[in-house]
Amino acid sequence: MDPNYAWPPLGQPWTDLPESTRTAMVAAGAEAWQQIFYGCASYNKQWRLARPPALTADAFRELNEVCDRIVQLIFEACQRRARTAGELRRKLGVPEGETRLLDEDEVLHDGLLAAYRPDVLFSGGVPCIVEYNIDSSLGGGFDADTVIHRYADLYREQGLLEAMPVRPAPSLLDQRFVAIRDTLGLADGARVALLLDFLADYPGLETPDDFLRILSPLADRARNFGIDLIIAPVEKCTLTDDKRLVVGGAPVDALFRLFVPNRVTPSSGLDAVADALAAGTLPMYVSSAAWLLSNKLNYAWLWDDLDLLSETDQALIRRYVPHTVALTADQLDRALAEQADLVAKPAGGSAGHGVLIGREMSAVAWEDGVRAAIDAGGNILQRYHEADQVAMDFVQIETGETVSAVVPYSLAPYLFGRTGSGALARVGYPGCEQVLNLARGVLMTGILLTD
């Protein structure tokens, strides 16, 4: 890992491919967009990608190493302030009971870093890690993995990758099964529940049967790793008399939690999960304490602790982590004076909810929003980094027309068991806003790697 690594231009891995290959890949993707994106989450009714973005394998390896080191620094910053999950919750100002299934007495340990996905945008040609998602409930993984391997299969069928130094990023779904098995120490054939909150706000959850059918291939893949995967709604769980969790008509050996602990809908099923955890009969991937590590106030702690770190770690933070402070009353004057260069965010938020981008707001709206955030508490003030834009190719759903446009783009690599795998690319679309999240119509895919 080199703090001064020279990152290749964002669009170069794609443009380095022969023009004839690129043209054929775009044409193939535009023709097959319905099968490529079948079953994948999107609120966008106008556009689909005609091809995935590409990154050099060397740059992707470097990015994973940087992300892994910075998540360790986040964890160490938390350990300097708290010994247990309960102490950390109080330091972060998270209300008691907000993080469901949290064991307040759980000692902070390395196992909390079993799954994480940083959100990275490139700004000025350099990755900027705007936040970390540290938890098992990482969104987008199924879609990213499914889409990129459908693209790769399509290209292979048409002979487009023959003799080309191009391949899909490693399967993040496979690496996650490896991490689940190894982290929980599961015996071969262990029955593992994958639980989702079907009452949450996510595209597709409104039709549970269809959603479960789309996810069903996961159970087949899990068998390759010695896991008998049962996919079910969390609200359907029950308990045996000896406090074992029952899913799909029988007790399970472990839980893979794919719901967010501070947004999961209360239910008798969730109560059953809590009772099984309290009884010690349900190993869970991962503990809800991991979610506290995602709190964006941890970014402010990184900057507060800068003088305690080695020169190399200081250089990593200065280069890759946007300057962040807690948004309190003493920051008001700075927030108003530097409006164009700042973003205000809820420290415990996600999916872009409550984010205020100074340069996109009037002075009055910004001041009102910042004052309200200070009064509410639990917000951060972060240096704004504008996302670099990259040329991408799209197909218009209604007409089938292929369109090229320069759009913002972000990357979210997945690391399970501290091991890099695939990545979620969130790509803007013609005429989109700067905030790249699912609710605003962003297009999602995995990535290609080039040698």
Side-chain angles (χ1 to χ4, degrees), residues 131-216:
E131 60 186 66
Y132 264 83
N133 301 279
I134 305 171
D135 195 47
S136 58
S137 59
L138 302 174
F142 181 80
D143 292 346
D145 210 69
T146 300
V147 167
I148 197 58
H149 285 91
R150 285 175 181 169
Y151 271 124
D153 290 343
L154 175 69
Y155 298 152
R156 290 190 192 101
E157 289 169 6
Q158 300 194 11
L160 298 179
L161 298 186
E162 292 179 6
M164 286 286 107
V166 182
R167 61 189 184 279
S171 171
L172 65 94
L173 299 181
D174 289 353
Q175 177 56 35
R176 184 168 63 187
F177 286 131
V178 170
I180 291 171
R181 182 194 64 202
D182 294 350
T183 301
L184 300 183
L186 298 178
D188 191 47
R191 199 164 190 268
V192 178
L194 188 169
L195 297 183
L196 301 108
D197 178 10
F198 277 87
L199 301 177
D201 181 18
Y202 194 81
L205 292 178
E206 66 277 3
T207 53
D209 291 343
D210 291 342
F211 198 86
L212 288 171
R213 185 173 63 254
I214 289 167
L215 287 182
S216 61

Side-chain angles (χ1 to χ4, degrees), residues 162-305:
E162 292 179 6
M164 286 286 107
V166 182
R167 61 189 184 279
S171 171
L172 65 94
L173 299 181
D174 289 353
Q175 177 56 35
R176 184 168 63 187
F177 286 131
V178 170
I180 291 171
R181 182 194 64 202
D182 294 350
T183 301
L184 300 183
L186 298 178
D188 191 47
R191 199 164 190 268
V192 178
L194 188 169
L195 297 183
L196 301 108
D197 178 10
F198 277 87
L199 301 177
D201 181 18
Y202 194 81
L205 292 178
E206 66 277 3
T207 53
D209 291 343
D210 291 342
F211 198 86
L212 288 171
R213 185 173 63 254
I214 289 167
L215 287 182
S216 61
L218 279 177
D220 296 329
R221 295 180 75 159
R223 292 189 191 98
N224 297 329
F225 303 92
I227 294 173
D228 179 13
L229 192 70
I230 314 299
I231 306 173
V234 64
E235 58 267 24
K236 299 294 186 182
C237 295
T238 59
L239 279 181
T240 63
D241 291 340
D242 56 354
K243 301 292 186 180
R244 291 192 66 195
L245 191 72
V246 174
V247 181
V252 295
D253 301 304
L255 165 61
F256 166 29
R257 178 177 55 77
L258 202 55
F259 54 83
V260 182
N262 70 342
R263 294 205 307 271
V264 61
T265 308
S267 66
S268 60
L270 185 64
D271 292 340
V273 172
D275 289 346
L277 290 172
T281 62
L282 186 67
M284 180 168 65
Y285 183 87
V286 295
S287 162
S288 285
W291 181 252
L292 297 176
L293 304 179
S294 294
N295 191 289
K296 298 173 187 65
L297 186 59
N298 297 336
Y299 262 37
W301 292 350
L302 282 182
W303 283 91
D304 287 345
D305 295 355

Side-chain angles (χ1 to χ4, degrees), residues 20 59 62 131 161 165-166 169 171 191 208 212 227 284 295 306 313 335 345-346 355 358 396 399 422 427 434:
S20 59
E62 185 72 20
E131 60 186 66
L161 298 186
V166 182
S171 171
R191 199 164 190 268
L212 288 171
I227 294 173
M284 180 168 65
N295 191 289
L306 209 56
D313 289 337
K345 299 178 181 180
V355 174
Q396 194 169 47
T399 66
V427 184
Q434 283 289 317

Side-chain angles (χ1 to χ4, degrees), residues 327 331-344 355-371 381-385:
L327 180 50
Q331 294 292 326
L332 178 60
D333 289 345
R334 174 181 169 240
L336 300 184
E338 301 177 22
Q339 174 181 343
D341 297 319
L342 296 172
V343 178
V355 174
L356 307 176
I357 301 176
R359 64 181 58 196
E360 294 183 0
M361 304 174 69
S362 70
V364 172
W366 170 255
E367 180 173 353
D368 288 347
V370 168
R371 287 184 181 276
L381 197 62
Q382 193 172 75
R383 177 67 59 185
Y384 176 82
H385 288 262

Side-chain angles (χ1 to χ4, degrees), residues 114-130:
Y116 51 93
R117 191 206 72 195
D119 289 345
V120 182
L121 57 83
F122 285 76
S123 184
V126 176
C128 178
I129 307 172
V130 293

